[in-house]
Structures are given as structure tokens and as C-alpha cells.
Amino acid sequence: MRSLIVKIGLLLVMPFPAWAHTIVVAPGTKVATIKQAIALAKNGDTIRVEKGTYISLNTIVDKELTILGQNQPVLDARFQEEVLTITARHVKLDGFIIKNSRTGSMRDFAGIRLSNVEFVTISNNTLVNNFFGIYLSNCKHIQVLHNRITGSNNIENSGNGIHLWKCKEILLNGNYVTRHRDGIYFEFAKKCLIENNFSEKNIRYGLHFMFSDDDTYRHNTFKNNGSGVSVMYTRRIAMLDNTFIENWGSSIYGVLLKEITDARIEGNHFIRNTTGIYMENSDRITVTHNDFISNGWAMRVLASCNKDHFTQNNYKGNSFDVTTNGTLKEIYFNDNYWDKYEGYDLNKDGTGDIPYRPISLYAQIIEQNPQSVMLMRSFIVNLIDKVERAIPSITPESVKDEKPRMKPWKR
């Protein structure tokens, strides 16, 4: 992944040719639109756009240019077209307000579209009321940095904030995305890095992977989305040091995993979500060094999952630590901290002397009969859970932590 950052970063230090010129765009001058400036420009030139509002109906950038906005000039499509499309390599677009793209059911209109290009940087722009915000199609070696993207929050007229289709080695860093369908959407996007982004209040997912292998997302925050992150039909995803917070509601998750393999979930914080992690048909997943705090369900692991490992995690203040819908096989818990553990440590080695079984009888009852949630924290529920822990009869005997920690892991 370091090589990806270095490779993409090289475009920023590429020297401009000695003969490059700067063309200034300003209202009321001879060059009053970006289209005029692009027509006059040659590869390597810079276009500087002064403060003002410019109508932009699908302006095409088909030359290798640096286009800089001064004091955030506005490019407005007035809901008639896309705002701007980049079809040339080695383009930098920085410092604009881009707004009001057209919406439609037959075509994905966007604020900024990149099509079949490489070595392009999109940075420090504000996108407002566009159907799709930034749309990358068949691109490589692209940087999307520090943009602020706000959709309409209308279910019928909301595309995705940042949308990738068939892309490779893309860097998304420091963007804020809200009120779109998905905050960030990946489909057939491979070997990408997503870091330091904030995705909140999106209608469906904060981040969504489909058929996208070998990607890494780290140090992001996903707050109050339809669900935090969804990873589907994907291999070898690394999910590192992210925060999933307050993704609340019926069938809402911090992370949803469906038919994925060989993923790492490490160093994340799951705080006050309906369900921290939901796993279905997901194999060889490693979940380690995470904090699960005050969730409804810390984890729901369906019986279709295999060979998953959960180690050195902290489980604190969750209504339920783990639930499942059947018999779990080859699911391993080891060396985790569970605040519900009531065992003892006679030899004072920091590890409990008796195993902890994270699946409670009441959790299993709720899995089969959701209406029984009304009995939560009642005396009878506490009683049957304690009896079940002493003499397990229904909860899976195989699901247990043989070495529960007596104190939480320090991060």
C-alpha cells in the first residue's frame, strides 16, 4: 500500500514544461468561461478561475491542465446536465464549489466525472446537490483529497457521494460525505486506499464494497448512516483503526459482511450501534484488537460462517456479546475481555480459570422470537441465563473463550 501512495504522489511533483502558460478566467473579461480557457490552453498550462458564478453544462476537460479556483468560484449546472467531465490524464482540479447536476433514472449524472483517465487529482472542492458527487469510471492512479460532498438526502434523487466503477489504485483521503445514497461506493475497484474520511447521515451505507478485492480502509469515521460499512462478495479487505458510531435502527449494522473471505478487522471502535458486526457466509476472517462498547449486539455471526478468529478484543456494555442462528463450527474465541465474565483467577496470571461462553440463552431466544426483547433485564431472564451458564443445554457448547482476560486490553 505504501508503494501505491508513492506512485500516485509522483504526479504532484512532476514538473510543468517551461513553456506552460497561465490563463485567467473572470466574469466580464474576454475569457469568461472555463470552456473558453480550455479551448485556448495547451497541455501543461494552468487555468486560474477567479471568484464568481459560472454556468457549466458538462464542461469537458480533454487536455493535461491544472485548474485552480481562487476564493471558491461556483460551477453551476442548474439541474440541466453534469457539471464537469475529465477525459485527459494528468489533470488537477482544486478549489471549486460544484453544484446542481441533473438527476435521472437512465443515467448517472455527476458533479465531477472522471472517465478512462489516470494521474488525476481532485482536491479541496465543495460539491452540493449533485446526483452523484465524484464519479470515477475505469480509472487508475487517482487522488480524491479533502473534498466536502453533500447530497439532497432524497431517496429518489440521491446517487453516491464518491462512486468508483472498475478502478484500480485509487487514494481517497480526508473527504467528508453526507446525505447521499452511499457515502462511498466501490464496484470492481481493486488495490485502493481509503483513509481519514468522515461519512455520516447517508441513506444506505457510509461505505459499500461490491466485488472489490485487496482494498484497505483505515482511520475513517462512519456515523449515523443507514449502516456503517457493507462489504459484499469481496476478498482480502483490511479494515483498520476505524470508528463506527451510532448506526442505529432496525437491521442496521456498524459493519455488514456478506460472502467475503480472508479479511482483517483490526483496531476498530464499535460504539453504540444496533449491531457492531454482522457476518454471513464469511470465512477466514480475523477480528482482533477491537473495542465493542455499548452496542445492542456486539456481533451476530451466522452459522454459515467458518474458520473465523476473534482474539484480544474488548466487549463492554453490550446488551448481547454474540448471537447466532444455528450451530457454529470452527469459530474461535481466545484471549478476549468480556465485562459479563464472572469467573475467577486463582493463580493471578490475568486469565480467567474457567471458560466464558459469550452466547447467552436469552440472546438465542431473541434470535428466534424478537418480541421477547420486552423481557430484557427482567429477573426471570437473569435467572435462566445463570442456570444456562452453569449447565449449558441450548447455547452452543463449542463457542467459548478458553482464556478470557480479567482486565480490558489497553490500546
Side-chain angles (χ1 to χ4, degrees), residues 385-397:
D385 265 345
K386 288 185 181 301
V387 172
E388 179 69 11
R389 289 187 192 284
I391 313 172
S393 59
I394 296 177
T395 55
E397 169 69 13

Side-chain angles (χ1 to χ4, degrees), residues 3 13 17 88 94 113 124 136 152 158 173 183 186 197 202 272 280 321 324-325 332 384 386:
S3 63
V13 298
D94 181 282
R113 177 182 297 274
N124 301 309
L136 279 62
S152 65
S158 289
N173 188 315
F186 275 40
N197 301 284
N202 293 289
R272 297 191 299 277
E280 177 180 347
D321 292 326
T324 186
N325 63 340
Y332 305 100
I384 61 176
K386 288 185 181 301

Side-chain angles (χ1 to χ4, degrees), residues 4-19:
L4 164 64
I5 299 172
V6 172
K7 196 172 183 180
I8 295 174
L10 285 175
L11 71 99
L12 297 176
V13 298
M14 290 184 63
F16 293 113
W19 59 85

Side-chain angles (χ1 to χ4, degrees), residues 222-237:
F222 304 99
K223 181 178 181 181
N224 195 19
N225 296 286
S227 280
V229 174
S230 173
V231 187
M232 298 184 178
Y233 312 106
T234 291
R235 298 173 294 177
R236 299 180 297 277
I237 292 287

Side-chain angles (χ1 to χ4, degrees), residues 219-251:
H219 301 293
N220 303 282
T221 298
F222 304 99
K223 181 178 181 181
N224 195 19
N225 296 286
S227 280
V229 174
S230 173
V231 187
M232 298 184 178
Y233 312 106
T234 291
R235 298 173 294 177
R236 299 180 297 277
I237 292 287
M239 318 175 204
L240 314 175
D241 302 308
N242 302 284
T243 298
F244 305 85
I245 183 169
E246 294 177 355
N247 298 291
W248 283 117
S250 176
S251 301

Side-chain angles (χ1 to χ4, degrees), residues 363-379:
Q364 293 295 85
I365 292 173
I366 286 186
E367 193 71 28
Q368 302 298 325
N369 301 284
Q371 296 82 358
S372 58
V373 70
M374 67 180 66
L375 300 174
M376 184 177 289
R377 296 188 176 84
S378 65
F379 171 75

Side-chain angles (χ1 to χ4, degrees), residues 65-79:
L65 300 171
T66 297
I67 305 175
L68 304 177
Q70 300 293 304
N71 301 313
Q72 288 215 305
V74 178
L75 304 183
D76 188 348
R78 297 186 172 182
F79 302 107

